[in-house]
Amino acid sequence: MRERWNQDRIYVTLERSTAQLKERFVSSHFRDYEDAEHLREELNRIPLFFFDLRDWAIDEVAYEIEEEKSSLNFEVCFVDYLQLIGEREGEIDWFKELSLLLEIPIILGSQMKRTVLDNPGKVPQQKDFHDAEEINACADTIIMLHHERFYDDSAPKEQLRVIVSRDREEAVNRETVLRFDWKRAILMKEEKESISR
């Protein structure tokens, strides 16, 4: 598994503990006891660092990321997810400034509102984000994922639609269909080339 990771990265969890996240991954993908132990060993070997910052305020989360950058020198930071940060006024601006300061991409997960259920095909749109106004105003890039199988049992389980509605602060309208390998828990090469929507 490690050869697929050419960058160190951190995953800031605001919802579950590190142990819960790892066990959730293992329980979703193991076939037997031996397989589960193998997955746990693989997770501990890859250069992915988890930080449990539940109930932290925005300034505390930002400060911890900055501190860990100096010691771990990671190249990508994931924050899961935006709406769980405490005292989070202007949170996207905080992360945008931190990204520029540390010279790394910071990827913020966000919840969607139930309005997505009213969209054609239940495909997400920018208006469906919680905190949509701030996200649409501040985010450099906006990517939405749509797994049709979640709503339709007859849809292909392995297909994941990746919808890019903003790139480098410019509105775009592109979509790519990727194939998710459930056995190895990785996204495979594109099934279709990027297309305009």
Side-chain angles (χ1 to χ4, degrees), residues 43-98:
L43 273 177
N44 290 330
R45 279 200 292 266
I46 62 176
L48 174 64
F49 307 99
F50 291 88
F51 293 95
D52 181 0
L53 305 184
R54 288 172 293 170
D55 301 320
W56 287 36
I58 178 62
D59 57 333
E60 296 172 316
V61 172
Y63 179 76
E64 183 68 14
I65 292 171
E66 184 177 357
E67 285 290 292
E68 296 297 344
K69 178 69 169 77
S70 62
S71 59
L72 295 174
N73 196 32
F74 50 83
E75 297 181 42
V76 185
C77 174
F78 299 86
V79 178
D80 180 23
Y81 55 89
L82 199 57
Q83 285 75 30
L84 288 177
I85 299 174
E87 301 174 24
R88 57 187 184 85
E89 184 176 352
E91 69 274 30
I92 298 180
D93 277 339
W94 272 84
F95 285 114
K96 193 166 186 175
E97 291 177 14
L98 185 61

